[in-house]
Amino acid sequence: MTTTPMRDRSTIMVLNGPNLNLLGRRQPEIYGTDTLADIEKLVAETAAPHGLTTDCRQSNHEGQLIDWIHEARERHAAVIINPAGYSHTSVALRDALATCDGLPIVEVHISNIHQRETFRHHSYVSALASGVIAGCGVQGYAFAVERVAALLTAARA
């Protein structure tokens, strides 16, 4: 007999897509000098006053991100995702997020994708997201945590 794992109603999965492991070293004029470790610390500190924890992961591989989304739909309270370049190319990532019925999803982009190359103006993720934050630098991740906290509080009421 297979059992469904219990969903942790207090943990937010924070997913970062390709090349975000190079934050702080890659194109600082666009992405700033903060590292992925800095972002992970920021989201944990922002989540804590709300009684929330974070599970931060990064992969350059689309399939790995999809597997983690499948895990999040079963085990986590919400998903914050910076799909990076997959935002504009991955129907498969979009389809995985579509399986997260009722789970808050917030899409984050460090840069303002609408001020960049035309191909970056469309995101397959945005239509599924409870919110989209772009162009706020790494502070956008803190905004995303605050939004998730508000959505979770409203859902409990």
Side-chain angles (χ1 to χ4, degrees), residues 47-119:
H50 299 285
L52 299 169
T53 59
T54 55
D55 179 359
C56 299
R57 304 178 191 190
Q58 185 279 329
S59 181
N60 295 319
H61 304 283
E62 183 179 35
Q64 180 63 75
L65 292 165
I66 290 168
D67 288 343
W68 288 336
I69 290 166
H70 292 173
E71 180 184 336
R73 75 182 287 271
E74 298 291 334
R75 297 177 185 251
H76 291 74
V79 175
I80 294 172
I81 185 168
N82 183 340
Y86 288 138
S87 308
H88 326 293
T89 63
S90 182
V91 173
L93 197 66
R94 179 243 177 256
D95 288 349
L97 288 164
T99 70
C100 295
D101 302 324
L103 206 67
I105 299 167
V106 177
E107 179 182 9
V108 176
H109 296 281
I110 295 169
S111 68
N112 183 345
I113 60 175
H114 303 289
Q115 289 182 333
R116 298 188 61 197
E117 304 92 338
T118 304
F119 72 87

